[in-house]
Amino acid sequence: MKKLAFLILLAGLTGVSPLAAQDNSGSGDASETAADLPMDVPVMVEEALAAGIDHQYTGPWEYFVGGGAAAFDCNGDRLPDLAVAGGTSKASLYVNRSAIGGELRFEEKADALPDDTRDKVTGLYPLDIDNDGHRDLVVLRVGENIILKGGPDCSFTEANRAFAFNGGRAWTTAFAATFEPHLPFPTLAFGNYVDRSAPGSPWGTCHDNELIRPIGGGERPDYSEPSMLTPGYCALSMLFTDWNRSGEPALRVTNDRQYYREGQEQLWRVSPDRPPRPYRRSDGWRRMQIWGMGIAEADLNADGYPEYALTSMGDTKLQTLDSEAEPDRPVYRDIAFDENATAHRPYTGDDLKPSTGWHAEFQDFNNDGRLDLFIAKGNVQQMQDFAAYDPDNLLLGKAGGGFLEAGDKAGIALPRRGRGAAIADFNMDGMLDLAVVNREAPVSLFRNAGGRTAAGGTRPMGNWLEIELRQDGVNRDAIGATVTVKSGNETRTRKVHVGGGHASGSAGFIHVGTGTAERAEVRIQWPDGEWSAPFRVFANNFVVIERGATTAQYWYPPE
Amino acid sequence: MKPIHALLTALAFSALTPAMADEMNEPWAERAISGHVDQSTLKGRLDRETLDALRDKGETLFGAKFTELDGAGRKVATQAIIPTKRKRPPDLEFQRIAGMDANSCSSCHSHPVIGGAGDFTVNVFVNEGFVNADFDTVDPQFSNERNTNHLMGAGLVELLAREMTADLHRIRKETLHTARETGEPVTANLVTKGISFGRITAEPDGILDIAKIEGVDTDLVIRPFSQKGVMTSLRQFGVNAMNQHHGMQADERFGTRWTGEADFDEDGHDNELTEGDISALTAWQATLPPPIVMVPDNERWREAAAKGGAMFDTIGCNECHVRALPLKSLDFTDPGPFDAAGTLRDAEIDGAIYDLSLMDWAKDLETNDKGEYLIPTFGDLKRHVITDRQVAALGNELLGQRFVERNEFQTSELWGIGSTAPYGHRGDFTTLDGVIRAHGGEARASRDAYIDLSDTDRSALIAWLKTLVIPR
């Protein structure tokens, strides 16, 4: 009530609607420049074609959603390579040939993905499933999902039979994975969309989702016994997340209200050796219905508990634990308005209709030590009530909290329908680059060229670290680990996870901007909960931390 | 009501502003800064006239007694290098421990000339200022107490460090390249200007084993300033010190770009020091004349010093207190090449070159057969463990600093030592004999050899050290 009264009062005072009163609907004064913002605005140079990537995500209704990308190193040089879904076009894998610190260059490896797995691909997530040191690729499809076993030099072979994995025939649009205690391989979760064969489809015919635990203790994964996550509400993103710091990640699912009946957002309790169970109203879980498209997680207020950005049509949600929450009572409230992160309509141009948000990801694009929020935006196809020109958002984190929109000033406000995305440092210069998969439009590949100067040039931004975690045996990439980077009074945290975003995942170096800090103490909470000793590292370096090591190592890109 | 009140206040302020501005410019105005230096005027190689003008401004800032009208004080900011807010404003603006602890740079760097060293009375307390910003004790568990170093010849010291860092980075790059090319691990010694900093091993995949690096940070940046050798540049040190000691916050670190606020310390003054102001301070310090080796008028002193100088080498003092390091270039670029974000960097602007060869003192620098300048710092710009179980007087700090252990210090440059008593990082020693006897750890053998000398030889060594002076 208080908030409503405030909004009405505000509207009365200013003579504008409550939504218009919030500044995040646009970049404000049209004459405002990047130099007017109280932080560095990264200059994002679109160079996909010049870099060798000419790719579109295409197809009819089934491909209105999906459109994922995966950034991960598949040839052992530590430079992130890029796999892109194509819908009715072929999915492709591009090997990173970028010069260090230079322009982006990719080379398509046509035979990397088995040809019969490249069609009908909606999304891609990399992870090392069989613990062999090569990242595998989970391929989400309209129809049978595929696990591609990674080998040397970006070679992939279909492993459904080898892993006893039944890819089913659903329309799959979401994925997440976690390593549960005492299991030798990851537990996989697949989120499905509309069951097209059900009577009455598409309305109210959402497919169930699946959770697949590995069974047996063999040398190879055995995923032959899936459990159904019923009911399914047309999932478009899912993420294993340790929402209550219990050390036991739960499965958060965002669902598209367009097609479900009586559905809602979901959080599944996934306890070892027990069937998953959804949190319900009696557990404190509040019903929320949105056109859920993507999930991003970050601990924005450094309280140890993650906040969640949930993209949708209209307002993006930004949820934080409410004061009524308890260790097993997930009560959330929305702080998107307070944090200037609703991103509810285009921030530039004349189209004032609501936005449609897809991939969301927290990262620090300007290395000022504060997390930014990228949101891929784009009309579903031709929905008249929603913005046709709907540029992607780059919400830059402010000192003291909250965000400022800088998408246009950064150069990412293109007239394309964004879907999935991959954020990675493709040219290993310490600044995060961005690949966006667009529906029926070329993939956008933005090179981060540095902070924009008043004169229109670029300059280096803040200090940074990129951290790689390694451990032997199960879970080589330490999925589920927490990375803390402490400089002075500030501690920055990152979670290593597989899932979320929109049909897109990345694996590899974990990027942390450190602002003016030129050194930091890094500690790792490994997935089993064990804390490492502090590692003392200098900023502007690539750091490799092996479990059990007493010192961190530096890695240097080839010069 | 509030907006109306604010509006009236704003109108009143703007009505007063011209008069106030006039008052600020009166000769008796209680301000130390009458105008800021415009960084955009400092590009390329500065001629002598321009450099002198900049040095004058730097000296003015170095000697200035900053006032609250300049922005002195840091009401809600700690002394931390990373901009950090206090939990509450301090009761007193001046405070000898957490600061601000000095009204001017020259109030400590004063002996025997401005830019020189300081007595024990002007020791400073080094604490990161992140957690216990308001501690009010000199208990060493909360802070390290340090004597004030002199800054004479500081530009040459920084240039040496830059060239050595560039050498180490080149070695690292070549080692990594060779490992990648051959597919085999490659080990390389980190030697620059005759100083060894241990070794590195590069793996074919680009991983670098840094466990055997010695006496320098693992990023192989030689940071030549502070007793620990943890500050990269005069520029970085200047920005740090201006905040810590005076509450004068440089825009390049405490300004809007990094903190979101033009007045981070909330003392009512935006952008207290511009990039140009810090350049002026840097230029002045970088061009300070180096100390000299004085030739005593007294013949006995001359004879003793000659003998003592030889003794210095005989007992191995010169292994760390290296007599001179060769320097290729006297071009001091500002900003420098190795600073990190938060200190203005060379890639951020078209910077300036301060040509130290324009200085009158430069003609007195010796050169070797390669045309390199021989800089007689009597140091090695390397950190060493300076205590052991038996000889531990210099291990009186409890806190490490910026990853450097408590008993590890950068070799003090001995040039000027004859003018800068008391001695030791805390100024604990009133005599040179006393501080030599306190050398343990890696210096233990030389220290023992010194003690084993005859009284006459020890006296001769002191006689020689006393000739390393800062001229008045």
Side-chain angles (χ1 to χ4, degrees), chain B residues 322-375:
Chain B
V322 177
R323 282 179 171 270
L325 296 172
L327 180 67
K328 292 186 176 72
S329 171
L330 293 179
D331 284 352
F332 189 101
T333 56
D334 183 31
F338 298 114
D339 275 310
T343 302
L344 193 65
R345 291 162 290 179
D346 58 357
E348 295 187 51
I349 61 165
D350 293 329
I353 299 171
Y354 313 143
D355 181 355
L356 303 193
S357 71
L358 296 176
M359 298 293 101
D360 294 340
W361 48 259
K363 66 180 186 303
D364 297 327
L365 293 173
E366 288 185 31
T367 56
N368 63 15
D369 55 3
K370 297 178 191 167
E372 297 169 325
Y373 301 94
L374 297 174
I375 311 301

Side-chain angles (χ1 to χ4, degrees), chain A residues 1 30-31 69 97 100 108 221 233 241 246 250 252 294 298 313 316 367 485 496 506 523 553:
Chain A
M1 282 302 290
S31 63
R97 305 290 188 206
I100 304 307
E108 184 174 3
Y233 294 130
T241 176
S246 64
R252 176 127 202 184
M313 302 175 85
T316 296
N367 288 339
V485 177
V496 185
S506 297
R523 293 187 75 197
Q553 296 175 302

Side-chain angles (χ1 to χ4, degrees), chain B residues 62-67 72 94 100-107 245-246:
Chain B
F62 197 87
K65 291 200 168 193
F66 298 108
T67 77
F94 279 110
M100 62 173 182
D101 59 357
N103 202 186
S104 71
C105 307
S106 61
S107 68
H245 302 306
H246 315 311

Side-chain angles (χ1 to χ4, degrees), chain A residues 449-484:
Chain A
R452 192 178 295 282
T453 64
T458 60
R459 62 181 177 183
M461 301 186 290
N463 300 316
W464 53 271
L465 282 168
E466 298 198 24
I467 301 166
E468 177 186 294
L469 304 184
R470 299 201 308 208
Q471 58 179 2
D472 290 334
V474 177
N475 191 5
R476 297 287 185 96
D477 292 333
I479 307 303
T482 303
V483 179
T484 68

Side-chain angles (χ1 to χ4, degrees), chain A residues 271-310:
Chain A
S271 299
D273 305 323
R274 300 180 66 178
R277 185 175 77 77
Y279 284 91
R280 299 189 170 90
R281 183 184 296 269
S282 58
D283 300 312
W285 182 249
R286 290 174 176 169
R287 181 188 189 87
M288 185 170 72
Q289 296 181 313
I290 60 174
W291 293 271
M293 312 283 201
I295 307 176
E297 168 192 317
D299 181 8
L300 296 177
N301 56 4
D303 65 352
Y305 297 93
E307 278 69 45
Y308 302 95
L310 305 168

Side-chain angles (χ1 to χ4, degrees), chain A residues 60-80:
Chain A
W61 176 60
E62 287 89 342
Y63 305 101
F64 285 6
V65 297
F72 65 111
D73 173 29
C74 57
N75 58 4
D77 64 0
R78 286 193 167 83
L79 274 65

